Amino acid sequence: MLWQPIGVVHSCFREKFGIPRQPGLAPHARAWIEMDPPYDDPDAFRGLEAFSHLWVAWVFHQNKATRWSPLVRPPRLGGNAKKGVFATRSPYRPNPLGLSVVELVDIQQEAGSVRLLIRGADMVDGTPVIDIKPYIPYADALPEALADFAAEPPRPRLRVTFSEHALDQLRHIDGDSYPDLDRLIVDVLAGDPRPAYRAKEADGEFAMRLYQWDVKWRIEGDRVEVLALEPMPHRTPERGKVGDSP
């Protein structure tokens, strides 16, 4: 059986680096799902407005791995301990499918097409969507369930501040076009977006893309200072730590 996308995600996350490792960890992360014809028929969404959250099934389309491995290294275990791939949510799977619970903010209809405004997404811009289902609390929320190494949500590890230069830049950014941008930056950086195997290495400067901005920041111990928000250059910049290769 062949699957085909029914829509695409337009996300504030323009690259994989910096995306929270689970949905909901960055509650100010906004995105929308643009539905493809013929799945953009408004009738297909009749009644969805009565639900607050959605399950979104999607594809890790930027996964460059050509082979899967039975053992992977979950970031929650420091990137060193190995677990079976089916005991994790690693993107490196036999079928690179993701599954996320997101908040449904709005259902927008225009010229007979539909797009869904969502919040708390953990998907990169351009992610293909395979399916959408309503989240049903009595069936989908199981507080007594066991979850081994991921029983509790990760605690914010870093304290985030902004330089005067970054604050001045934020003041000149259109808040209607980029709502809660400062809070989104704090959501992402407080959880330490560095790969787990690099989290203990020397402090330094890093960069990531949010919306159309290159956000530059510096880590010193357990503190992060946002240095600047620069418009994205036309060329593809280096990712992650400043000075590293892509």
Side-chain angles (χ1 to χ4, degrees), residues 17 21 73-81 157 191-201:
F17 181 71
R21 296 183 177 97
R73 303 173 187 268
R76 286 291 294 272
L77 298 179
N80 295 314
R157 295 188 294 273
D192 194 350
R194 294 175 295 176
Y197 67 90
R198 295 180 56 174
K200 295 182 180 180
E201 64 183 25

Side-chain angles (χ1 to χ4, degrees), residues 18 62 98 117 158 160 164 166-167:
Q62 291 190 8
L117 181 61
L158 304 174
V160 182
E164 287 298 326
L167 288 173

Side-chain angles (χ1 to χ4, degrees), residues 18-185:
I19 297 180
R21 296 183 177 97
Q22 298 293 341
L25 295 182
H28 296 97
R30 292 175 178 257
W32 69 87
I33 302 173
E34 195 82 40
M35 303 304 298
D36 295 333
Y39 313 109
D40 59 349
D41 186 333
D43 281 345
F45 301 88
R46 186 182 301 175
L48 189 63
E49 71 280 356
F51 294 88
S52 65
H53 290 75
L54 307 174
W55 284 106
V56 180
W58 48 277
V59 179
F60 288 101
H61 69 297
Q62 291 190 8
N63 186 347
K64 297 180 180 179
T66 57
R67 298 178 59 187
W68 71 280
S69 172
L71 294 174
V72 296
R73 303 173 187 268
R76 286 291 294 272
L77 298 179
N80 295 314
K82 293 184 178 181
K83 291 283 186 179
V85 65
F86 298 125
T88 75
R89 297 192 179 189
S90 168
Y92 304 106
R93 321 183 67 78
N95 295 303
L97 297 178
L99 186 64
S100 298
V101 175
V102 297
E103 180 184 356
L104 176 61
V105 178
D106 193 19
I107 302 174
Q108 300 176 345
Q109 299 185 24
E110 184 177 351
S113 63
V114 174
R115 73 176 190 174
L116 307 178
L117 181 61
I118 59 177
R119 188 157 45 203
D122 58 343
M123 295 164 270
V124 71
D125 189 62
T127 293
V129 173
I130 300 299
D131 198 12
I132 296 168
K133 292 182 171 69
Y135 179 91
I136 300 176
Y138 84 85
D140 298 337
L142 303 172
E144 72 280 6
L146 301 179
D148 189 24
F149 60 89
E152 300 291 338
R155 295 181 178 179
R157 295 188 294 273
L158 304 174
R159 185 165 67 88
V160 182
T161 60
F162 292 80
S163 69
E164 287 298 326
H165 178 58
L167 288 173
D168 183 64
Q169 290 178 311
L170 280 168
R171 282 191 284 267
H172 289 84
I173 292 175
D174 181 7
D176 292 331
S177 299
Y178 306 99
D180 297 319
L181 180 56
D182 55 340
R183 296 182 181 182
L184 172 60
I185 293 171

